[in-house]
Structure formats: structure tokens, C-alpha cells
Amino acid sequence: MAGTELEPRDRLRCVIIGAGMAGLLAGIRLKEKGDQFVIYEKGDKVGGTWRENRYPGLTCDVPAHAYTYSFAPNPEWSQFYAPGPEIQHYFERIADDYGIREHIRFGAEVAACRYFEGLWHITLSDGSTDVADVVIAATGVLHHPRTPDIPGLDSFAGDCFHSTRWDDTVPLDGRRIGVIGNGSTGVQIVSALSERASRLVHFQRSPQWIMPVQNFIYSETDRHAFRSDVSNIDAIRFGQDYWGGIRRFNAAIIDADSPEMAEIEAIVLRNLEESVTDPELREKLRPSYRAACKRLIYSPNYYAAVQRPNVFIETGPIERVEPEGVRMRDGTLHALDLLVLATGFHADRFVRPMIMTGRDGADLNQAWAVRPTAYYAITIPDFPNLFLLNGPTAPVGNFSLIDIAERQWAYIDQLLDLLRQGQCSAVAASHDALADYEERRITAARHTIFGSGCTSWYLDAHGVPLTWPWSYDRFAEAMAAPKLSDFELA
């Protein structure tokens, strides 16, 4: 550890990668500390996933009042689960209200970050460069679209695009529409388009368990109450209904044999049995794996949507895509005008494909050769002064990632204080600390519901859930203060 010969710094020079939820949070907090920073954003707007996703039916599956920064409640939400455009507007407003927009360079994609001589040297895709004491990677998880490997996909004569590349100019009403993929995105799109398409085919390799929810509209009287007294908002975002559900779900996923998991399984099974009247369709929609093994889907209306006479569930294997539509292996042709690929993302890339080179030439791709990982999802050995928000092994699932990011930032800020106060010039987790963390995490992760026998984007290349496998409260405790003996300070 560096000693007292280092002088305290007036301010750090920081580069933040990404102007989504986490990047804006980092900018707000750094501005409060008086640090110098710039946010490089490859897109043309703030918002991250809420900028990229504009598909019909887009909503957040976390209650709107819980999906806000703790310091910036929003009394104007129109409904309990906010639609995507409102969430995007919220982040746009936050960028303006907190004076962050002036620190953002839009259309600026980071190509490489290299650490040498005690500094991070950043290269952008246009060839321009920057230098920083600290790099904050707020790149998110779900931003590299996954396109299915289906023969003939390029031959389709109609409109075809990934759900994150929605073409707003393409008409929807009265058209024959196919949706491939049935995660949250596919479920939301099918629910939204079921009343607009003349024929809607939902192609799914495996069905989903659906948790029933009610998405009620807030009246003007409700919003006036939220504006008048923030305690009305706090009753939702900090109330027992929300946090009781969080803890129930968390207890369930970390112990697949728990009473909480049995309760969840009973709810989703009853939802299927009581909501779907046709026996044949019901069996098509019955998953063969346990509830929450894949990310649990929350929907108020999917089962109602797929029972409309113009909606068809297709569970057979796809043979190929033809100019006229999708040909199934049994020879059936589904003639389509529009094909939507709700096929998810490459969830294991995180900051990649940018080149990340750490101390003594350490290469991130090599460090992540087995699986992407970081000590408590935040810091990587041999990459000093690089901090990740919602990095690999962070808590995922049906939680508010804003809350997760705020707790992570509180942890990171304590490490930044070591730099600000001159206690060291570089900080990163040790190899031993990461190895110990990963050994404990992997052992626990194999016994979570995510490891109970299904395929999902939660699993790494070796079938191990790439998730936080312990309780939410344990995460909060871990984020309260870094264990400095697990760090290398230089």
C-alpha cells in the first residue's frame, strides 16, 4: 500500500462509459464530489436500454416508483409498471435536472482502454483519445443483440428486425406478424400486437412461467397526492408490499426447496391452469422446467392475448425462413408480412468488444477466458482504478437495478476516496480475493433455482449461473464497506 507520501487530490479525472441508468448515476455522484468527468456514449441519447428498446408493449417489470433513483422520485408515472417511453423521458429529465448532459459526448464509442504509467488511456472509435485516473464501466448487460442462426433469414421479403432495432415506420395494423422468442420482450410484444395484427404467430422453443400482475393506471388524483407528499411515493417504493415480494422472491431463488419457491410455483401453476381454457393450448404453454429457472415473466395479459382467435402458438422447430414466411420442420409455412426477432442479447460481453488492457499488459479477454467475472461484480485484478456497475455476477432477476447500482456506487465511492485522500494511487481486487469470491459464489450458484435444469441467459458457457447467489440483504451488507484486505493498493 502506498503511504502518506502521496498528496490528496483536489479532484479525480474520470471517464464513464455509457449514459444509461448507471452512467448517469455515476456522473451525478462524481459531480457532487467535485471530480472532473466525461461520459462517452455510443448512442445519440441517454437512457441505455430504454433508448434502444422502443417496441410496442414495452414496460418495466419493477414497479415504477421503485425504478427511480432514491434521490429523484417521480410523481408523474402514469401507471404502476411504467411504459418504456416514460422511463426514457425520466432519464432525459434527470440528465438535464442534474446538469449531466453537458458532460456527455454522444456518438462516441470507446474502442480501447489501456492502463500504463498509472493512468487509463482511452481510444475512441474515431481515433480520438483521452486520459483518466479512473474508468467507470457503465455499459450495461443487454445491449449486444443476438440474431438467431436460422437458414434463409436474409431472404425474407417482408420487414424483419430485432426488437432493439424497432422500425417505427413499419405498419402493424392488419398485418401478418411473427415473433420469434418468448422472454419478457417477446411476451410484451405479443400481448401488445394481439389486438392489432390480422394474424400473429408466436414462435417459442420453450414456454414460460407467467407471474400474474395487475398494471393499474394512476389517476390525476393519485399523481396530485404523489406531488403533494413524497411519503405517498415512499409507501410504494419502500413499503412492505414491494419489499416483501422482493425478499420472498430472493429467498425462493437461492433455495429451490424453500417454502417461498413452493408458493411461487403454486401461483404460476394456478395462473396457467385457470387462465388458459383450451387443454391443447394449455399444454403448449406448460414449461418443462421449474418456475424462475429462467427469468420469471411478469405479465397482466399474455394468457388472454394468446387465446385470441388470430394468435397462434408455434412450438415446433423452425426449418428455415423463406421470402414468404417461416417454414417449420413439419412442412407448415407461416406466411408473414413482418418478422420480429425478440431473441435477446449476448449477455456475456459486458464491456466487450472494446479492448481492455490492464497492468503489465493484462488482457480482459484472457482474464475472462473461462467466464466473465469481477470481485463482487465491481473490480478485476490487474485492472486498477477500473470499476464496473452492474458487472458480471451482480444481482439480477426481478430487482430494481437502480437500487443495485446505487449500492454499488456507494461501495465504489469509498474506494475512490482512497485515491482522493492520497492513501494510494491505484486500487484493484487481489487475485486471491477474486478466487475466493468465485469459489464461494459458484458453489452457491449451482444450488439456486437458476441452476435447476434449464437454458437461460443467466448461465455461462459452462452452465454455471453467472449471478449473485445469496440474499439481497447479504448484498447490501457487502456493499456497505469494502474489505480493504482483499485489495491491492499501490
Side-chain angles (χ1 to χ4, degrees):
M1 176 177 174
T4 56
E5 72 276 5
L6 294 174
E7 293 292 330
R9 309 188 192 192
D10 290 336
R11 59 181 181 173
L12 298 173
R13 163 69 180 172
C14 303
V15 160
I16 301 168
I17 307 174
M21 173 275 294
L24 293 178
L25 170 67
I28 290 167
R29 293 311 194 198
L30 289 173
K31 185 176 181 180
E32 290 173 345
K33 284 294 183 79
D35 291 319
Q36 183 182 7
F37 68 94
V38 61
I39 302 176
Y40 291 115
E41 169 52 57
K42 64 183 179 181
D44 60 355
K45 298 178 182 178
V46 304
T49 189
W50 303 104
R51 176 195 67 234
E52 297 295 311
N53 288 279
R54 304 184 317 279
Y55 59 80
L58 173 62
T59 59
C60 183
D61 56 11
V62 173
H65 286 296
Y67 195 75
T68 58
Y69 299 115
S70 62
F71 51 85
N74 177 27
E76 305 304 329
W77 295 123
S78 67
Q79 53 195 54
F80 188 72
Y81 294 103
E86 286 187 30
I87 299 173
Q88 171 64 15
H89 177 72
Y90 172 77
F91 288 123
E92 294 276 5
R93 181 173 61 80
I94 289 295
D96 292 328
D97 289 352
Y98 287 83
I100 302 303
R101 195 178 297 277
E102 63 197 63
H103 295 270
I104 304 173
R105 277 192 55 190
F106 292 106
E109 183 173 6
V110 175
C113 296
R114 297 179 174 88
Y115 183 83
F116 62 92
E117 297 180 351
L119 293 170
W120 280 102
H121 298 255
I122 294 90
T123 302
L124 303 182
S125 57
D126 65 2
S128 59
T129 61
D130 200 350
V131 178
D133 301 306
V134 173
V135 170
I136 306 295
T139 53
V141 182
L142 306 180
H143 60 107
H144 295 294
R146 182 186 295 276
T147 300
D149 185 17
I150 302 175
L153 187 60
D154 291 341
S155 72
F156 183 59
D159 298 299
C160 180
F161 43 76
H162 192 275
S163 57
T164 59
R165 303 293 184 264
W166 197 272
D167 187 344
D168 296 316
T169 68
V170 171
L172 303 172
D173 296 319
R175 305 191 79 200
R176 300 169 299 174
I177 302 174
V179 177
I180 299 178
N182 69 324
S184 292
T185 296
V187 166
Q188 290 179 349
I189 292 173
V190 167
S191 299
L193 297 187
S194 63
E195 293 184 284
R196 302 181 63 180
S198 63
R199 177 181 171 89
L200 178 59
V201 183
H202 194 187
F203 301 91
Q204 52 183 47
R205 289 187 300 180
S206 59
Q208 292 275 12
W209 289 110
I210 307 293
M211 176 63 73
V213 293
Q214 290 185 327
N215 189 15
F216 49 84
I217 303 298
Y218 287 126
S219 67
E220 176 55 33
T221 300
D222 294 328
R223 291 193 292 274
H224 176 75
F226 294 144
R227 295 183 205 112
S228 301
D229 188 350
V230 73
S231 68
N232 292 313
I233 295 177
D234 292 345
I236 298 173
R237 61 176 177 167
F238 302 133
Q240 179 58 34
D241 285 348
Y242 173 66
W243 281 103
I246 289 291
R247 287 188 165 84
R248 179 187 68 180
F249 181 76
N250 191 225
I253 62 175
I254 65 177
D255 181 0
D257 297 320
S258 64
E260 291 84 358
M261 179 52 70
E263 181 184 2
I264 287 174
E265 289 181 315
I267 292 171
V268 297
L269 179 60
R270 184 169 61 249
N271 187 33
L272 174 63
E273 297 287 355
E274 295 180 357
S275 300
V276 183
T277 58
D278 179 68
E280 183 178 349
L281 178 60
R282 189 188 309 132
E283 292 313 304
K284 280 188 173 184
L285 295 169
R286 188 184 303 278
S288 60
Y289 54 87
R290 297 188 63 183
C293 183
K294 297 177 185 284
R295 190 177 194 274
L296 196 59
I297 306 297
Y298 286 63
S299 175
N301 57 354
Y302 177 70
Y303 284 153
V306 298
Q307 292 179 88
R308 292 192 170 98
N310 63 317
V311 179
F312 301 87
I313 297 295
E314 178 59 83
T315 58
I318 295 174
E319 180 68 20
R320 63 185 179 272
V321 176
E322 300 177 358
E324 295 79 16
V326 175
R327 178 79 65 178
M328 309 307 294
R329 191 170 298 171
D330 66 4
T332 301
L333 175 66
H334 292 286
L336 302 170
D337 304 306
L338 167 63
L339 184 59
V340 178
L341 308 177
T343 47
F345 303 86
H346 295 281
D348 61 344
R349 292 191 181 178
F350 294 94
V351 299
R352 298 177 290 185
M354 74 179 70
I355 298 169
M356 301 290 291
T357 307
R359 182 174 52 209
D360 299 325
D363 177 71
L364 186 66
N365 283 321
Q366 183 176 350
W368 285 358
V370 175
R371 62 177 56 87
T373 188
Y375 174 78
Y376 283 94
I378 285 174
T379 172
I380 307 169
D382 295 329
F383 291 81
N385 302 349
L386 169 67
F387 304 102
L388 296 89
L389 287 166
N390 290 317
T393 77
V396 294
N398 301 83
F399 305 126
S400 170
L401 286 184
I402 296 183
D403 176 72
I404 297 300
E406 287 196 16
R407 290 189 180 276
Q408 289 178 324
W409 184 261
Y411 182 98
I412 292 169
D413 198 43
Q414 293 176 69
L415 297 174
L416 295 181
D417 277 340
L418 300 177
L419 305 178
R420 296 181 182 111
Q421 296 162 8
Q423 296 186 45
C424 63
S425 60
V427 57
S430 69
H431 284 277
D432 287 345
L434 177 60
D436 174 69
Y437 167 75
E438 274 292 86
E439 181 180 3
R440 291 184 288 110
R441 188 196 66 80
I442 290 172
T443 299
R446 291 185 187 276
H447 293 91
T448 64
I449 193 64
F450 303 135
S452 64
C454 68
T455 58
S456 79
W457 61 268
Y458 286 158
L459 303 181
D460 66 21
H462 300 273
V464 178
L466 193 65
T467 58
W468 176 266
W470 301 293
S471 71
Y472 175 90
D473 291 331
R474 185 165 172 179
F475 171 74
E477 180 182 352
M479 293 296 99
K483 184 181 178 183
L484 293 185
S485 59
D486 283 351
F487 288 84
E488 294 178 348
L489 309 180

